[in-house]
Amino acid sequence: MFKKLALVMSLIVISLSVEAQQKIKGNITDGEFGGPLIGASVTIPSKPGVGTTTNFDGNYELNLDTGKTTIQISYISMKPQTFNIDVVSGVNITL
């Protein structure tokens, strides 16, 4: 009985943590020329190891906890930029 209860409780906790995350999507472009920045880093400074890079079109996706967070965008030969966002939808950023 205890093992079944522990398994059910584990599944409830897992489902609650999955529901507390949102997928954010965005597109990073060069502010001077307007083209996509391929391979730009999108990281969460408060969570080491959480991040991604932009694809060929400058697009990125991240699963983040809902609420306010900070993302950092960095690219070769450009100064990294930090943005405070409310994780509810995608964010488009121009560097």
Side-chain angles (χ1 to χ4, degrees):
M1 174 75 176
F2 179 73
K3 287 183 182 180
K4 286 183 181 178
L5 180 60
L7 177 62
V8 169
M9 293 302 289
S10 297
L11 293 175
I12 289 172
V13 170
I14 290 170
S15 66
L16 288 175
S17 18
V18 169
E19 289 180 24
Q21 289 198 332
Q22 293 288 325
K23 180 184 291 188
I24 65 165
K25 299 178 187 181
N27 181 269
I28 301 178
T29 56
D30 183 315
E32 186 176 342
F33 300 108
L37 289 181
I38 303 164
S41 295
V42 181
T43 58
I44 309 303
S46 63
K47 296 184 178 188
V50 175
T52 190
T53 56
T54 57
N55 65 13
F56 185 76
D57 297 318
N59 297 320
Y60 68 91
E61 290 184 9
L62 273 174
N63 289 319
L64 298 175
D65 295 334
T66 56
K68 297 186 184 303
T69 193
T70 301
I71 62 172
Q72 183 175 39
I73 313 297
S74 57
Y75 191 72
I76 299 170
S77 77
M78 292 186 174
K79 181 180 172 187
Q81 295 188 27
T82 303
F83 301 89
N84 295 319
I85 62 169
D86 193 0
V87 179
V88 291
S89 63
V91 176
N92 291 325
I93 298 172
T94 301
L95 292 178

